[in-house]
Amino acid sequence: MNSERERTYHHGDLRRVILDAALDVIATNGPGALSLRDLARRAGVSHAAPAHHFKDRTGLLTAVAAEGYALFADALTGAPDLRERGVAYVRFAATHPAHFQVMFQPDLHRTDDPDLLAARARATEALRAGVADLPPAGRGEDDRIAGVAAWSLAHGFATLLLSGNLTDAMEGRDPEEAFRSLTALIFTPEGRAGG
């Protein structure tokens, strides 16, 4: 009995185990398939154990989103310019599809969570820094609109990639190189929209 009790209640880093299991479920079946009871079963702990770390399903999804934004901010910060921030955006989506799905669905998580807000602010600042580094002619009269344009391009490409809608168009091409080619079609070397 003691070994069963120990297996049920003492699991090392249970928070990480539950998060990893949640990411697997989300990547495979989407966030709608997430169940704390199922995650507890997968982790070999009592059905109540995940609630000690996350309170409820929304708390778990909030933790996924906060972790996602923190990883996202790290990925964007290392990029030298706006184009490469876009490439980092696409790379992040491809390598962290579960985080990506949850981060941009505010109805899934607590949008006022302090950890989530801090991580999202870091990611937003990294994106804005890429736009600010453009020459004035490349960002137009409104930095915010230029930021929305850059975000729309990267997010749209990443979303289409993850949903399988680019499979035929990509013809086996590396997504990062395809995104670089896409930006070259739209932006001139001076950073202005082509046309």
Side-chain angles (χ1 to χ4, degrees):
M1 172 118 177
N2 283 345
S3 65
E4 176 64 25
R5 185 172 180 205
E6 182 138 337
R7 182 184 74 80
T8 304
Y9 292 103
H10 301 289
H11 196 288
D13 189 359
L14 180 60
R15 184 179 195 282
R16 181 77 256 158
V17 169
I18 296 296
L19 273 172
D20 288 343
L23 292 168
D24 288 342
V25 169
I26 294 165
T28 304
N29 300 312
L34 203 61
S35 155
L36 289 183
R37 186 175 291 273
D38 176 56
L39 295 175
R41 183 189 53 74
R42 288 172 183 248
V45 297
S46 76
H47 70 274
H52 291 293
H53 294 279
F54 303 106
K55 294 186 182 171
D56 56 19
R57 183 176 181 276
T58 303
L60 174 59
L61 289 167
T62 301
V64 168
E67 179 178 77
Y69 273 111
L71 293 168
F72 187 47
D74 293 343
L76 295 172
T77 300
D81 58 28
L82 184 59
R83 176 182 285 175
E84 290 307 309
R85 276 184 174 87
V87 170
Y89 198 113
V90 170
R91 182 182 310 123
F92 175 83
T95 57
H96 299 281
H99 287 106
F100 192 80
Q101 285 184 63
V102 174
M103 290 163 52
F104 297 103
Q105 292 189 54
D107 58 316
L108 293 179
H109 46 77
R110 293 184 179 97
T111 57
D112 61 347
D113 179 79
D115 292 338
L116 175 63
L117 290 171
R120 186 175 12 198
R122 278 186 50 228
T124 299
E125 182 53 38
L127 288 170
R128 286 184 180 154
V131 172
D133 289 344
L134 286 175
R139 58 180 186 259
E141 296 177 14
D142 187 341
D143 285 359
R144 291 190 69 112
I145 294 299
V148 169
W151 182 27
S152 298
L153 183 63
H155 190 82
F157 185 88
T159 300
L160 290 169
L161 179 70
L162 288 182
S163 63
N165 285 297
L166 294 180
T167 305
D168 291 340
M170 296 283 288
E171 297 178 339
R173 293 179 67 191
D174 175 68
E176 294 176 26
E177 288 307 314
F179 184 79
R180 284 185 184 99
S181 296
L182 177 67
T183 60
L185 292 173
I186 296 173
F187 295 97
T188 66
E190 296 81 31
R192 291 187 305 267

